[in-house]
Amino acid sequence: MLAVEIDNIHKSYGDTKALDGLSLTMPQGSVLGVLGPNGAGKTTTVKVLTTLITPDRGSALVDGIDVVADPDKVRARIGLTGQYAAVEERLTGRENLEYIARLFHMPAAEGRSRARELLQRFDLVEAGERVVLEYSGGMRRRLDIAMSLIARPSVLFLDEPTTGLDPRSRLSMWELIEELGSEGTTTFLTTQYLDEAEALADSIVVIDRGQVIASGTADELKDRIGGDRLVVTIANADNLGRAAEALAGLATGAIETASVDRQLLIPIKAGGGVLPRAIRSLDDAQCEVIDVELRRPSLDDVFLTLTGKTANDDEEIR
Amino acid sequence: MTSPETLEVGKRARQAVPTGPEWLLRDAWTEATRHLRVIPRNPELIAFATIQPIMFVLLFVYVFGGAITAPGYSDYNQYLLPGIMAQTVVFGSATTGVGLAEDLSKGLVDRLRSVPMQQSAVIVGRTLADLVKNTFTFVIMLVVAFMVGFRFEGSLFQALVATVLLLLFSYALSWVQALVGLSVKSVEAANSLGFLWMFPVTFVSSAFVPTETMPNWLQPIAENNPFTRVTNAGRALYNGLPADGAVVEAFAWSLAIIGVFAVLSFRKFRQTTAR
């Protein structure tokens, strides 16, 4: 059975289409990385699947259960960790876990032993008796995820779990998610970080403007780009056009230019002395070269190819 | 870190998790205990809940007490204090909206809406916890009122009915505040908006001065203000004066407000998510 099955869901807020015919599936026992820039519809998708909002159109199933028709049954099978640590700050870690266990209608003894297990599992045994107000950001997130796992959910939803964390906490969160994944926790992970999706997810869907624009494993997505890329940085942005002309003979596809970075992105065939030829052509065209880099395609390139913009374009505008 | 079995993913979820309306009371109790447990850990809240009633009684009694006389009462304080009590418990209802807005901004509401509990229990539990807090405030206020000379001039039973009425009315306004808190979504807005409407409601009333002393155009508004009705009923009961139908009317107002705003806040809650 599929853990998640979304078929053509739509959701609009006024004139804004948050979801515009999004469809995806996710098998059990896997980690799905949902990748997209701010405002692509990641959180809206999570909210539909966790019964927080109702889609205008389309169907969404979790564990084969319809989220609109049977929200309580869905709620019994999921765990949600949103973008902020949703914990009661003046309760201790243990009290928070036991509190959520009660809301899942677990018998008190089971709730207590489950809380003990999870505190141990998430390295919070000592902190368990302290109020959350005294926790660090990373500890709060760990407690938050522990709370989401209290009732042994079929699907764990992690909505941008590393947003706002310092680099060290981010890394330990990665380790945690990786471990959960290897233990078979079915995880629906949203992120705006390409490296995060690549490191943690078994398969990736890329979404933009409320639609899935690509899906597959990280390798499959990279294959779509095909071949390697040459990244050339030149001294003068005015010469970008001239440089692109000079390099056209080497390219296997359209050359991208970024005037701010004074860079050219040239899709090429791997190997074959491309590098010296490129430098020679640029020299002939009298373009001063600052840097030349041969790059294996990254997910950033995938995103650029698919949407014509980098994943973080939106953020830079703000 | 322990063995992978710790997670046993999906195991419990695939068993049936009990849900249904019969869980409303238990879930509401779980929510109420969450709030009641944190009160002793929040010294500022306790200080505020204690100092506010003391301050209100002392300020009004000593600042206004000498200047105004209320015909028909042994002393202006006998007229004034029930009004102050009513106003203080009404102000106490603001914590409901602020608390819900806080849960919302912290993302807790999203978590609560994604667990198989009875959704309405979130607001029921919150209002019940606030009722306990308001009862505490009320007891302190009553003690201070007695220290400045206030007396029950009717029977003890009448005083008890008056107390229940005032607390019920504050409970009713907690439901209004719940809707405010869920609608504005930010703690700051819930705080300022939650207090804002309570000033005209409590001052354009019979709480501090008889409505006959107000301008003609204001009198009917003050007279028909439910807060006036509740204050009049409480005041009559505390003073052992004939209350006519005022007591029944005041209880009816309180229950009607609870009914209407419970429906509105439940509906709002089911559509509410952070951001």
Side-chain angles (χ1 to χ4, degrees), chain A residues 137-159:
Chain A
M139 286 160 77
R140 278 176 193 229
R141 289 288 171 112
R142 289 213 301 281
L143 177 64
D144 194 339
I145 294 186
M147 285 161 79
S148 302
L149 289 169
I150 195 100
R152 301 192 165 95
S154 296
V155 188
L156 174 65
F157 291 90
L158 298 177
D159 191 15

Side-chain angles (χ1 to χ4, degrees), chain A residues 47 88 90 99 105 144 183, chain B residues 7 18 31 34 111 273-274:
Chain A
K47 284 186 172 177
E88 176 59 73
R90 288 183 195 275
Y99 156 63
H105 303 155
D144 194 339
E183 290 162 16
Chain B
L7 297 165
E31 282 297 291
R34 161 164 76 103
R111 181 185 287 290
T273 124

Side-chain angles (χ1 to χ4, degrees), chain A residues 47 50-53 63 72 75-78 80-81 83-92 95 99-100 102-107 110 114 117-118 120-123 131 144-145 147-149 151-154 179-180 183-185, chain B residues 1-14 17-20 23 26-27 30-31 33-35 37-38 41-44 103-119 270-275:
Chain A
K47 284 186 172 177
T50 54
T51 75
L52 297 184
I53 56 176
D63 249 12
D72 264 341
R75 289 171 187 147
R77 287 155 182 263
I78 59 172
L80 167 67
T81 289
Q83 288 179 24
Y84 357 51
V87 294
E88 176 59 73
E89 294 182 320
R90 288 183 195 275
L91 291 182
T92 67
E95 286 169 340
Y99 156 63
I100 294 296
R102 270 200 299 281
L103 292 180
F104 269 96
H105 303 155
M106 287 162 82
E110 191 189 344
R114 188 75 185 128
E117 278 169 25
L118 286 164
Q120 215 162 50
R121 174 67 181 74
F122 287 83
D123 244 351
V131 292
D144 194 339
I145 294 186
M147 285 161 79
S148 302
L149 289 169
R152 301 192 165 95
S154 296
E179 281 171 28
L180 293 176
E183 290 162 16
T185 309
Chain B
M1 300 268 160
T2 52
S3 62
E5 291 83 68
T6 312
L7 297 165
E8 291 171 279
V9 278
K11 189 181 144 193
R12 182 189 165 81
R14 267 174 235 129
V17 171
T19 55
W23 288 87
R26 257 200 59 174
D27 289 347
T30 303
E31 282 297 291
T33 47
R34 161 164 76 103
H35 307 307
R37 259 175 135 163
V38 305
R41 300 176 194 179
N42 194 342
E44 296 136 55
D103 277 356
L104 200 57
S105 63
K106 282 192 301 195
L108 251 174
V109 166
D110 280 4
R111 181 185 287 290
L112 296 176
R113 289 201 48 228
S114 70
V115 302
M117 68 182 292
Q118 281 304 304
Q119 309 258 296
R270 278 194 292 272
Q271 299 160 355
T272 301
T273 124
R275 283 197 195 169

